[in-house]
Amino acid sequence: ALKVLFPHFTESEFVARFKREALAAARISHPNVVHIYDAGETEGYYYIAMEYVDGGTLKERLDERGHEPLDAPTILKVVQGIGSALEYAHRQGIIHRDIKPANIMFMRDGRVVLADLGLAKFFEAADLTQMTALIGTPYYMSPEQARSKAIDARSDIYSFGVVIYEMLTGRVPFEADTPWMAIHQHIYETPPPIRQLNPVASEAVAAVVERALAKDPD
């Protein structure tokens, strides 16, 4: 699979950073992370060559379910796989910054993998006019990220908590009409309890996810 740099990013400083981040990401080796093989340029197009993932995204599976929770085996597979990938990345000093269902993918053999690990920092700095590039995806971002404060690995844990909440309940914690409203809610409001939306979820599981969604990283 190829990821190609937008033409308006092809100024020399962005190209150099794109290559640097891509090659750094290529050094990441984990079974639950999409592998990057190479980064280069041809005929003015700057690209990253990466592992082709052919089983669709978590977002597609959630959309298919509507507002219904995912099945327990799929939830468990995502939690184990992506949790392992994040633990590995955080130990390497890498923060993803944009954990969301569209970046969680499935191989045809069922393996779950995390995409764009190591590249989110580049896209965050590359175009300050795009909200999703600057601060991640509003419906999944941590309060500290929403405030544009310095972030660490705990910000990814919050965003992953949002993803797990959505898998368990069929909806994100804050279904705001606008991205800015979602940002406000992540900073100031408490989401509906998981067991209120899905009584089948165990108290222990709900407690873990709701702790991940705490406003204070500590």
Side-chain angles (χ1 to χ4, degrees):
L2 296 177
K3 184 182 288 285
V4 180
L5 195 61
F6 282 122
H8 60 277
F9 284 167
T10 54
E11 299 172 20
S12 59
E13 61 178 292
F14 289 146
V15 169
R17 185 182 179 114
F18 182 73
K19 288 181 177 178
R20 187 168 63 249
E21 297 289 350
L23 293 175
R27 292 196 295 269
I28 298 169
S29 178
H30 189 279
N32 299 108
V33 174
V34 175
H35 187 69
I36 292 177
Y37 299 117
D38 192 18
E41 180 268 336
T42 182
E43 299 181 2
Y45 290 97
Y46 295 88
Y47 66 87
I48 294 174
M50 60 182 65
E51 180 180 17
Y52 179 65
V53 183
D54 54 2
T57 67
L58 177 59
K59 182 180 187 304
E60 291 168 344
R61 297 197 182 193
L62 287 165
D63 289 345
E64 289 172 1
R65 298 284 295 180
H67 281 298
E68 294 296 319
L70 283 186
D71 60 282
T74 299
I75 295 174
L76 184 60
K77 183 178 296 184
V78 171
V79 170
Q80 289 178 326
I82 303 306
S84 178
L86 287 175
E87 180 181 38
Y88 170 83
H90 294 161
R91 285 179 175 173
Q92 310 300 313
I94 297 168
I95 307 167
H96 190 288
R97 291 174 167 81
D98 195 20
I99 301 295
K100 59 186 178 183
N103 278 335
I104 296 172
M105 309 176 77
F106 296 89
M107 302 297 288
R108 190 160 292 179
D109 63 7
R111 178 165 52 96
V112 59
V113 292
L114 181 61
D116 287 351
L117 181 59
L119 296 179
K121 187 175 182 180
F122 166 80
F123 290 108
E124 180 180 75
D127 185 358
L128 303 186
T129 66
Q130 296 186 17
M131 177 185 297
T132 56
L134 173 62
I135 51 178
T137 305
Y139 297 97
Y140 298 89
M141 70 171 53
S142 68
E144 59 270 28
Q145 196 174 10
R147 292 177 182 270
S148 296
K149 292 184 177 293
I151 62 172
D152 57 27
R154 294 172 296 183
S155 181
D156 281 348
I157 293 173
Y158 181 98
S159 297
F160 191 36
V162 175
V163 172
I164 301 171
Y165 183 106
E166 184 175 9
M167 291 192 294
L168 287 169
T169 67
R171 49 163 285 179
V172 290
F174 304 112
E175 295 185 315
D177 293 331
T178 68
W180 294 113
M181 181 65 74
I183 288 172
H184 181 275
Q185 290 174 319
H186 277 293
I187 295 172
Y188 296 109
E189 298 185 17
T190 302
I194 289 171
R195 283 172 53 78
Q196 177 179 307
L197 300 173
N198 180 5
V200 175
S202 72
E203 291 183 10
V205 168
V208 170
V209 179
E210 287 162 6
R211 175 168 178 158
L213 296 178
K215 304 300 183 187
D216 181 352
D218 289 332

